[in-house]
């Protein structure tokens, strides 16, 4: 059975997936990492016809000892019921569109799957949970939507008031069963700190708190499977020992627009479980702690303030999942495998424009950070291998940036239009633990 231990536990005390999932953060404040990584035979997914099919194969490799196969299949079919197209921009560049779930960001993958995994275990235990989640934009709506209506689970969202886009805010505050939204008068760091403090606060120990941020292992495992799905979509040129030596010579790189590094952790899981990945490109905005770490000697655990940018879902000064990656991979391996870069606002908007002019493709600011990252990587390293760049949010969520960079109105998106007719439910709170405690 694959078990998990905390990054801060020297004794590596093992817990089940069920416990790691329901706890979220380990009691010592560390993050759960797997004690072993299952080997998943890549030939198995090269023949996959749907995302859910890959999802079942991958998650079953991780979870089969803890969740009966029939239950897991139902969970995956219900959670991953949306398309995930791989769009070709040129002969050596694709974008993997991860934004066709209900809240139009890649966070639907993790949140929807995790909600159903949690509901599975809670029902079995006849227990309930209150999910506390800090969001810089897309996480909150994906979690709210993914968990809404699950019988044994309630959700409280904290987001930095005025620091998410209008559309994102609307997605966060629409009324959903079992979900409350708090607009925190501070920034994302305040929200994240309040959540962390709440978990350690004896005054709240009577509440069955749990997290749904990308610190939860239950969100990260589902985020590994679309890397494998993408490779299955590349066939017949996919990298495979049996599909022609010609193609297998050239490696495949993934570019991951990154903030809290959950998505990259998912990619690392996919790679450690058997998918060959040449390099990962971690493309960050002005919050550049991780690229700095990869390229230079910087203090790995110093705190960095968050800087607000046009790619706001990636506005994370000190990424939580860094601690996880740091423990998952030896430093040398990490630094040789992952290449990092930082992209400023002006360059992001310029890349959105050039992407539209060159490929006729409208990208959101986050996707544009990724595409700029691909260009910078190729220039810096001379490695011109094929790249799949992850497209993590639907461009229609960022109409202001699109108008500014492309000078066009954003094409209408039905899933967003309907939000403006819905009822909302939100209260403003001060950025401290006692305010949070009062309102819980
Ligand atoms: C959350 C998010 C990211 C960053 O993902 P991490 O897992 O936090 O690194 C990038 N782009 C979009 C659109 C997001 O919503």
């Amino acid at each position: 059975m694959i078990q998990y231990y905390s990054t801060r536990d020297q004794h590596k005390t093992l817990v089940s997936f069920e416990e790691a999932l329901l706890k979220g953060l380990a009691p010592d404040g560390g993050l759960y990492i797997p004690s072993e990584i299952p080997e998943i035979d890549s030939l198995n997914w090269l023949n996959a016809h749907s995302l859910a099919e890959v999802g079942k194969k991958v998650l079953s490799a991780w979870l089969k000892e803890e969740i009966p196969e029939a239950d897991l299949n139902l969970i995956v079919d219900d959670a991953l019921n949306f398309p995930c197209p791989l769009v070709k921009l040129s002969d050596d560049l694709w974008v993997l569109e991860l934004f066709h779930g209900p809240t139009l960001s890649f966070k639907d993958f993790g949140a929807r799957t995790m909600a159903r995994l949690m509901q599975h275990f809670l029902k079995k235990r006849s227990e309930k949970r209150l999910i506390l989640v800090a969001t810089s934009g897309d996480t909150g709506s994906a979690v709210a939507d993914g968990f809404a209506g699950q019988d044994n689970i309630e959700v409280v969202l904290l987001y930095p008031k005025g620091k998410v886009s209008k559309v994102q805010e609307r997605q966060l505050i629409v009324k959903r069963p079992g979900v409350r939204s708090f607009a925190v008068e501070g920034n994302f760091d305040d929200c994240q700190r309040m959540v962390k403090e709440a978990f350690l606060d004896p005054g709240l120990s009577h509440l069955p708190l749990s997290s749904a941020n990308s610190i939860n292992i239950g969100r990260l495992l589902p985020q590994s499977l679309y890397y494998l799905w993408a490779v299955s979509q590349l066939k017949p040129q996919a990298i495979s020992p049996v599909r022609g030596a010609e193609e297998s010579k050239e490696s495949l790189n993934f570019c991951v627009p990154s903030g809290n590094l959950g998505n990259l952790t998912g990619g690392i899981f996919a790679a450690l479980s058997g998918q060959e990945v040449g390099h990962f490109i971690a493309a960050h905005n002005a919050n550049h702690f991780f690229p700095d770490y990869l390229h230079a000697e910087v203090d790995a655990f110093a705190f960095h303030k968050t800087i607000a940018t046009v790619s706001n879902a990636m506005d994370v000064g000190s990424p939580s999942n860094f601690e996880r990656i740091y423990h998952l991979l030896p430093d040398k391996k990490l630094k040789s495998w992952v290449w990092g870069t930082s992209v400023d606002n002006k360059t992001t908007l310029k890349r959105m424009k050039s992407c539209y002019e060159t490929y006729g493709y409208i990208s959101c600011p986050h996707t544009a950070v990724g595409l700029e990252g691909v260009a910078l990587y190729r220039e810096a390293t001379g490695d011109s291998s094929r790249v799949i760049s992850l497209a993590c949010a639907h461009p229609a969520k960022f109409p202001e940036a699109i108008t500014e960079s492309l000078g066009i109105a954003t094409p209408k998106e039905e899933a967003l239009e309907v939000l403006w007719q819905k009822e909302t439910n939100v209260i403003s709170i001060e950025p401290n633990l006692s305010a949070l405690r009062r309102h819980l």
Side-chain angles (χ1 to χ4, degrees):
M1 183 162 119
I2 296 169
Q3 291 179 295
Y4 299 82
Y5 62 91
S6 164
T7 47
R8 299 190 188 172
D9 178 6
Q10 284 172 0
H11 305 293
K12 300 194 174 177
T13 314
L14 296 174
V15 303
S16 63
F17 174 75
E18 175 174 348
E19 185 170 345
L21 171 77
L22 294 177
K23 282 235 169 75
L25 198 65
D28 60 9
L31 307 182
Y32 286 112
I33 53 176
S35 60
E36 58 181 301
I37 309 263
E39 254 185 61
I40 307 173
D41 177 4
S42 68
L43 296 179
N44 283 342
W45 62 67
L46 283 176
N47 298 314
H49 297 294
S50 74
L51 176 68
E53 193 185 329
V54 176
K56 286 172 199 170
K57 272 183 186 138
V58 174
L59 291 183
S60 139
W62 285 92
L63 302 172
K64 61 176 181 282
E65 279 101 353
E66 287 189 64
I67 304 180
E69 193 176 333
D71 292 348
L72 192 58
N73 288 348
L74 288 176
I75 288 171
V76 172
D77 279 330
D78 192 39
L80 304 177
N81 58 356
F82 48 86
C84 181
L86 184 67
V87 176
K88 186 171 181 171
L89 296 187
S90 70
D91 284 344
D92 56 12
L93 180 62
W94 288 259
V95 287
L96 181 65
E97 290 188 346
L98 301 172
F99 53 69
H100 296 281
T103 69
L104 309 186
S105 92
F106 85 93
K107 299 207 167 65
D108 285 324
F109 285 84
R112 289 176 64 78
T113 311
M114 176 181 158
R116 285 151 184 81
L117 291 169
M118 268 196 165
Q119 173 68 17
H120 170 85
F121 289 119
L122 290 174
K123 215 163 126 190
K124 208 178 72 180
R125 297 156 74 128
S126 307
E127 287 181 16
K128 293 199 184 286
R129 284 294 184 278
L130 175 61
I131 305 279
L132 262 190
V133 58
T135 177
S136 59
D138 291 334
T139 297
S141 47
V143 167
D145 201 88
F147 282 77
Q150 300 285 334
D151 299 338
N152 301 40
I153 308 173
E154 274 184 66
V155 177
V156 169
L157 299 176
L158 282 73
Y159 73 94
K161 190 174 180 176
K163 297 208 166 59
V164 302
S165 81
K166 278 200 196 101
V167 180
Q168 282 176 319
E169 176 165 48
R170 194 73 189 184
Q171 286 188 306
L172 289 170
I173 64 176
V174 293
K175 207 169 170 174
R176 297 179 173 96
V179 180
R180 285 180 285 164
S181 305
F182 295 171
V184 174
E185 289 150 358
N187 61 21
F188 177 64
D189 293 335
D190 293 316
C191 300
Q192 215 174 19
R193 179 181 40 79
M194 287 161 75
V195 168
K196 277 199 173 173
E197 285 172 1
F199 277 100
L200 305 171
D201 181 22
L204 289 174
S205 61
H206 60 289
L207 292 175
L209 294 182
S210 190
S211 83
N213 274 22
S214 59
I215 54 174
N216 195 306
I217 189 75
R219 257 185 61 188
L220 297 183
L221 298 186
Q223 286 180 7
S224 69
L225 62 92
Y226 44 73
Y227 290 87
L228 311 177
W229 162 250
V231 174
S232 79
Q233 295 307 287
L234 267 187
K235 68 183 178 183
Q237 339 85 289
I239 307 159
S240 151
V242 298
R243 282 175 207 267
E246 199 69 57
E247 284 101 14
S248 69
K249 265 189 277 168
E250 206 203 334
S251 68
L252 175 65
N253 299 325
F254 276 96
C255 178
V256 189
S258 292
N260 213 19
L261 294 173
N263 211 353
L264 182 65
T265 309
I268 289 173
F269 282 146
L272 291 177
S273 63
Q275 173 55 50
E276 255 186 66
V277 175
H279 289 275
F280 288 105
I281 303 161
H284 288 251
N285 58 27
N287 295 280
H288 49 63
F289 154 72
F290 189 56
D292 287 353
Y293 173 79
L294 292 171
H295 294 297
E297 292 297 321
V298 300
D299 179 1
F301 291 98
F303 179 78
H304 303 274
K305 266 181 87 160
T306 296
I307 299 166
T309 76
V310 288
S311 49
N312 61 29
M314 302 177 359
D315 291 352
V316 185
S318 297
S320 315
N321 279 297
F322 173 71
E323 180 170 335
R324 193 172 248 135
I325 292 175
Y326 184 85
H327 281 88
L328 216 48
L329 292 176
D331 196 57
K332 240 182 154 166
K333 169 89 184 161
L334 173 61
K335 289 182 173 171
S336 64
W337 209 9
V338 184
W339 187 90
T341 191
S342 156
V343 178
D344 65 22
N345 281 343
K346 205 172 135 206
T347 315
T348 304
L349 295 172
K350 248 172 81 183
R351 177 56 63 176
M352 285 173 70
K353 188 168 170 76
S354 71
C355 175
Y356 183 59
E357 287 171 354
T358 312
Y359 307 117
Y361 187 79
I362 301 180
S363 64
C364 88
H366 311 78
T367 305
V369 167
L371 293 172
E372 179 69 18
V374 173
L376 292 171
Y377 169 79
R378 286 178 167 165
E379 206 178 288
T381 63
D383 176 6
S384 58
S385 310
R386 297 170 299 161
V387 178
I388 294 177
S389 198
L390 305 187
C392 297
H394 197 296
K397 289 177 89 163
F398 305 89
E400 295 92 347
I402 288 182
T403 304
E404 187 179 342
S405 65
L406 311 185
I408 59 169
T410 312
K412 294 246 178 292
E413 181 61 37
E414 179 62 23
L416 295 178
E417 295 302 306
V418 298
L419 288 176
W420 303 97
Q421 275 110 54
K422 291 189 179 164
E423 238 185 293
T424 59
N425 178 20
V426 62
I427 57 168
S428 294
I429 73 167
E430 289 161 37
N432 57 58
L433 179 63
S434 52
L436 177 60
R437 213 190 275 133
R438 263 199 316 279
H439 287 287
L440 286 180

